[in-house]
Amino acid sequence: MGNLEIRIDAHQHFWQFDPVRDSWITGEMSVIQRDMMPGDLEPLLKQYNFDGCILVQTNQSPAENDFLLEQASAHDFIKGVVGWVDLKTADIDEQLVNCKSLKKLKGFRHILQGEVDRAYMLDASFMQGIGLLEKYNYTYDILIYPDQLEHTLEFVKAFPNQKFVVDHIAKPNIKDKKIDDWANGIKAIAGHENVYCKVSGMLTEADWLNRQEADFEPYLEVVFDAFGTGRLMFGSDWPVCNVAGGYGRVISVAEKYVNKLSAYEQSRFWGLNAAEFYTI
């Protein structure tokens, strides 16, 4: 799928809601405290002319891979899965070999943003596991907060040929209009050509009730200047985006900014970059 017209939502989730396992979905996010499944998303993809999506893990267990791959097998619009594997385990090489038969499994993610050790990604055994991903052509999604950007820079420097993508533009504090430290960190990481970035998750980092579309522009300026249109991809972060306006609002924020780009640059942002990154 390499044509310029392809549109891919590069970041979304499914779950069968479990209040204990999914405790990150707090009371103020009650709108998504329920099962979120393919039948809920497919009409939205069709409404906004998307050809498919990349399904990303939210739970760190082998069972999560089974659940996500089951959905991907049953629904052709799910073009790829970013799953989870214990990269620190002694038999990680063997596990990755076994994963190669799972054709829709494109890469992995760890919820680094939630780790007490903010430099978790620099753990020697974790890095040893990351070092094997390139061998099997697996991608890696980097989920962090801005306070981890400095550690992440050291991390990506260690793997110049690994395909990385920063999720949610590293979650800057848009609500309080904090930008300088985040901008410096994201620009440094963008200096490494093997690192991409998802323009996703911005609505939930802003003031859910009182935000203005202008609030997002300074952050978009930074990432478009840093990564260029060849290494950015659109992601809705559905259904999490439902707590802050929903799918249509995510689309409108992105469209307002990218409409000034050339048709080719827009095609890269809306799908081609994701299709190439995840080899779909």
Side-chain angles (χ1 to χ4, degrees):
M1 301 181 72
N3 69 81
L4 295 181
E5 300 302 318
I6 189 170
R7 283 170 62 90
I8 298 292
D9 180 343
H11 198 101
Q12 57 81 209
H13 309 287
F14 295 131
W15 57 71
Q16 291 174 310
F17 183 67
D18 180 317
V20 175
R21 183 196 66 196
D22 303 323
S23 59
W24 63 273
I25 306 176
T26 58
E28 63 181 350
M29 303 166 76
S30 60
V31 67
I32 59 172
Q33 284 182 328
R34 64 174 184 85
D35 293 357
M36 292 291 184
M37 298 293 284
D40 299 303
L41 176 63
E42 188 173 18
L44 293 169
L45 294 177
K46 289 180 177 177
Q47 180 180 349
Y48 293 101
N49 300 312
F50 282 94
D51 299 289
C53 59
I54 300 296
L55 176 56
V56 180
Q57 64 83 226
T58 58
N59 176 37
Q60 298 183 160
S61 73
E64 175 81 337
N65 289 346
D66 294 340
F67 168 69
L68 299 182
L69 289 163
E70 181 183 343
Q71 307 312 312
S73 176
H75 301 277
D76 185 58
F77 70 83
I78 304 170
K79 303 302 181 185
V81 168
V82 175
W84 180 85
V85 68
D86 183 0
L87 291 166
K88 297 171 76 170
T89 191
D91 68 343
I92 183 60
D93 202 342
E94 181 182 346
Q95 288 196 40
L96 293 174
V97 169
N98 293 337
C99 285
K100 286 311 292 181
S101 64
L102 307 169
K103 297 305 180 187
K104 283 194 174 182
L105 184 61
K106 301 299 182 179
F108 301 99
R109 184 177 83 156
H110 185 87
I111 302 176
L112 294 169
Q113 68 175 29
E115 291 291 343
V116 174
D117 178 3
R118 308 310 282 159
Y120 183 97
M121 69 288 287
L122 298 178
D123 177 272
S125 57
F126 186 82
M127 290 182 76
Q128 185 174 356
I130 290 285
L132 293 170
L133 298 184
E134 181 196 349
K135 174 179 170 184
Y136 299 106
N137 196 31
Y138 281 123
T139 63
Y140 188 76
D141 273 54
I142 301 173
L143 178 64
I144 54 169
Y145 281 122
D147 71 303
Q148 295 170 293
L149 283 166
E150 186 176 354
H151 304 309
T152 301
L153 177 60
E154 185 178 345
F155 174 63
V156 300
K157 279 181 177 177
F159 305 101
N161 299 311
Q162 172 61 41
K163 291 166 73 175
F164 288 116
V165 60
V166 176
D167 289 348
H168 312 324
I169 68 170
K171 295 195 164 185
N173 185 345
I174 299 172
K175 181 177 180 179
D176 294 331
K177 297 181 169 56
K178 293 184 178 179
I179 192 167
D180 292 343
D181 290 345
W182 164 82
N184 290 334
I186 206 79
K187 287 174 185 177
I189 288 172
H192 297 269
E193 294 291 324
N194 58 314
V195 184
Y196 286 59
C197 184
K198 290 182 181 177
V199 178
S200 59
M202 294 178 63
L203 265 65
T204 46
E205 300 310 314
D207 187 323
W208 296 357
L209 299 178
N210 301 307
R211 70 186 177 277
Q212 306 295 323
E213 291 203 354
D215 294 343
F216 302 106
E217 188 158 347
Y219 300 88
L220 289 167
E221 288 282 358
V222 168
V223 293
F224 273 86
D225 181 60
F227 289 93
T229 53
R231 289 187 289 142
L232 290 172
M233 55 186 88
F234 169 80
S236 68
D237 198 25
W238 184 95
V240 183
C241 65
N242 289 351
V243 306
Y247 208 97
R249 182 57 61 89
V250 178
I251 294 285
S252 69
V253 168
E255 280 183 341
K256 187 170 188 245
Y257 188 85
V258 304
N259 279 347
K260 62 187 176 185
L261 303 176
S262 71
Y264 177 68
E265 289 172 320
Q266 291 187 52
S267 72
R268 294 214 66 92
F269 172 76
W270 288 112
L272 189 57
N273 290 338
E276 291 177 354
F277 182 84
Y278 288 112
T279 59
I280 60 176

